[in-house]
Structures are given as C-alpha cells and as structure tokens.
Amino acid sequence: ATGVTRPGLLCLGVIIALLSGCYEYLPVSATPELTGREVQLSLTDSGSAVLAPLVGYGIEAVDGTLVSDSDMRYRVAVTSIRRRDGQESDWNGESVNIPHSVVSTIMERRFSRARSTLFAAATTMAMVVARRAFGGTGGATTPGGNQSGGTGPR
C-alpha cells in the first residue's frame, strides 16, 4: 500500500507556500532605498486627473518597480494599475513619471511570513482532510475487486 506521510504533506505545504507566497503592501516613507523595489503609489483625486493622459482615467493606484525617486517625481516601471471602480489592468513595465505632489501614499510590497504560513497550514490541512475523505491506497481496481487488471481466476 502506498500513502502520503505527514512529513511528505508538510513538505508539500511548505513548497506550495514558497511558490505562492503571500505579499502585502506596507506604508513607507519615500526614500532612495526604495529604488528597485516593488511599490504601490496611491493617487490623489487631482493626481488621477493629471495622470489620465498617461495611465487612463479614474486611476486610484499604480503598482510597479520604483526606477528612480528625484526631488519632484517618481519614475515607475508600471506592472498594473487599479481604477477607482476596482478594475485592474496589467502593464508590461512601461516607464511613467509621477509627480510627488499627486501621490497620497507610497507602499512597499513585502513578503508576508504570517500570511504565507497561514496559507501553508490551510493548504496542508485541506490535503489531509481530502486524503481522509477520499482515502484509498491510490491503486485502481477492476470490477469485482481484482487489482491485477485481469478477469479473475480461470
């Protein structure tokens, strides 16, 4: 009989968590140390209007990699934008200059150890529950319970 061991399930859960780690955006003060990091710039109402010709109308936030931060503007390689109605659009790293004056909040995208751990635990528990619910050894049987794939004794 074959089966999945607890260490095997734990290992699988950890691998899943690492591959699909949970991230969160945390507010930060704008500093040069953010250059090269993933950020989210929330725009003011006037910022949404000012940037409309560049990124579209009704934009609430711009996500991407901070390329540079001068005294007057952020230069961002945009990966996505979020409109005020909640719709999101993916971008391909196009560079956009965003004046500091139109940004209400800057946040950095960071790996969330707590969320990833919770996700891994939940995934592992779901696998354990599914295994117990559907059980079995994983071997297929033919009608009548014969595992050899034949038609039975002759």
Side-chain angles (χ1 to χ4, degrees):
T2 63
V4 178
T5 64
R6 279 186 199 212
L9 285 174
L10 179 60
C11 183
L12 185 59
V14 169
I15 290 170
I16 289 171
L18 291 175
L19 292 177
S20 61
C22 298
Y23 290 84
E24 60 188 341
Y25 282 99
L26 300 172
V28 293
S29 58
T31 63
E33 289 84 35
L34 287 177
T35 301
R37 298 204 181 156
E38 292 182 57
V39 295
Q40 181 178 78
L41 304 177
S42 297
L43 305 177
T44 62
D45 289 339
S46 63
S48 181
V50 167
L51 293 176
L54 298 173
V55 296
Y57 294 92
I59 301 303
E60 178 179 53
V62 175
D63 294 357
T65 303
L66 185 63
V67 175
S68 65
D69 179 9
S70 69
D71 291 340
M72 303 287 290
R73 65 184 168 92
Y74 302 106
R75 183 176 199 86
V76 179
V78 180
T79 55
S80 68
I81 57 171
R82 186 178 65 244
R83 294 179 12 166
R84 295 193 185 281
D85 64 6
Q87 291 191 16
E88 295 185 13
S89 298
D90 290 333
W91 283 44
N92 295 315
E94 294 88 349
S95 189
V96 176
N97 292 317
I98 303 174
H100 285 195
S101 60
V102 303
V103 174
S104 61
T105 310
I106 183 168
M107 295 191 281
E108 181 183 7
R109 185 175 188 243
R110 293 188 186 162
F111 181 76
S112 173
R113 198 172 274 156
R115 288 182 183 183
S116 296
T117 301
L118 182 61
F119 177 77
T123 302
T124 302
M125 289 301 294
M127 289 187 304
V128 168
V129 168
R131 171 91 172 126
R132 288 189 179 161
F134 298 107
T137 62
T141 60
T142 58
N146 186 350
Q147 287 189 343
S148 68
T151 57
R154 294 186 184 224

